[in-house]
Amino acid sequence: MRKLKLGSRPARSAAALAVGILMVTGLSATSAGAASSSAGAAPELGVRFYPDGNGQCDGPTNPPERWVGAADWTTPIRLDTDNRAGGCQLAFGLYDPSNSLAGLTATYTWEAEPGSDDTQCQNGGTKTIPIKPFKTFGDPIRVDTDGRAGWCNLTFTLAGRSDIVLDVQWYGDGGYDASDQCKNYRPTGTWQTVYEGNSVTVGDDTDGRAGGCYLSLRLNRQF
């Protein structure tokens, strides 16, 4: 068997060794810093909202994805679909880099009010709000209410954690009776709260009549 001779490989210079050490320690510090900042990061609530036709979906549609920290309200979006072509795509997500929402399940359900024309409530059913250490959204619902009979209901639910709540603001434009188009609305500046065992449903009946409905959400923790 051939023996390897000590010193058969050229020795690295002191400068090269120093560079190598700096690279390793620098990468380690960067990785540790990223892990540390991620571990302490608060959850964020995201809304994805954009039109797929004429401008009937007002709010933060460019870019269509907006995220806010826990305890902050999402930027209000405005639903005002009518007989113009197209509708609005809407989805929600929860970013949880530090796993502080472990055990929580969140959903949103999009369905027609009984007796209504369900073609206004497209891609309906119950969707899971994903709770992930990266930013992503659940399956979108499509809002396309107009003069067809009835309206669509959007229901939020939480389960698995009694200390986490979701506040829901649902209100109409000023100058008309919001109850006509924004079912189960509350006056501006007030809200309803979703918690384990208590869902909240809001109804969208926007059409050619004046005005629209605003939706804003806030993830919170009750102590």
Side-chain angles (χ1 to χ4, degrees):
M1 179 181 296
R2 187 178 178 183
K3 295 182 178 179
L4 292 174
K5 293 181 181 180
L6 293 175
S8 60
R9 296 178 59 190
R12 296 178 65 186
S13 69
L17 285 171
V19 170
I21 291 170
L22 285 172
M23 289 178 66
V24 172
T25 55
L27 288 172
S28 298
T30 300
S31 300
S36 174
S37 62
S38 175
E44 294 182 22
L45 172 62
V47 177
R48 192 166 195 260
F49 180 66
Y50 61 93
D52 59 13
N54 277 335
Q56 305 173 80
C57 320
D58 301 327
T61 60
N62 187 21
E65 301 175 0
R66 300 293 177 96
W67 295 86
V68 298
D72 291 331
W73 288 102
T74 60
T75 303
I77 60 174
R78 182 176 181 269
L79 299 168
D80 188 21
T81 56
D82 51 30
N83 290 322
R84 290 172 290 177
C88 306
Q89 300 280 343
L90 177 61
F92 307 93
L94 283 168
Y95 170 55
D96 186 23
S98 57
N99 202 33
S100 61
L101 299 179
L104 180 69
T105 299
T107 65
Y108 52 106
T109 301
W110 182 238
E111 59 188 353
E113 172 73 9
S116 300
D117 186 333
D118 62 5
T119 60
Q120 302 177 92
C121 323
Q122 297 173 9
N123 197 23
T126 297
K127 322 290 183 181
T128 297
I129 300 178
I131 304 173
K132 301 290 185 181
F134 51 88
K135 293 181 177 180
T136 187
F137 292 90
D139 293 336
I141 61 173
R142 185 171 189 270
V143 184
D144 192 22
T145 58
D146 52 28
R148 287 169 286 184
W151 65 88
C152 306
N153 289 321
L154 177 60
T155 301
F156 296 96
T157 63
L158 297 177
R161 291 278 295 269
S162 59
D163 60 327
I164 304 295
V165 302
L166 180 69
D167 295 324
V168 180
Q169 290 192 66
W170 178 246
Y171 57 94
D173 291 335
Y176 78 102
D177 184 358
S179 63
D180 281 349
Q181 299 188 76
C182 315
K183 309 297 185 183
N184 201 24
Y185 84 102
R186 292 292 183 274
T188 306
T190 63
W191 56 86
Q192 303 174 75
T193 299
V194 183
Y195 52 88
E196 187 174 34
N198 185 73
S199 61
V200 167
T201 298
V202 296
D204 180 8
D205 191 22
T206 52
D207 50 30
R209 291 169 291 177
C213 304
Y214 286 93
L215 175 67
S216 181
L217 306 174
R218 177 177 65 182
L219 186 71
N220 222 330
R221 188 170 184 175
Q222 55 183 18
F223 298 95

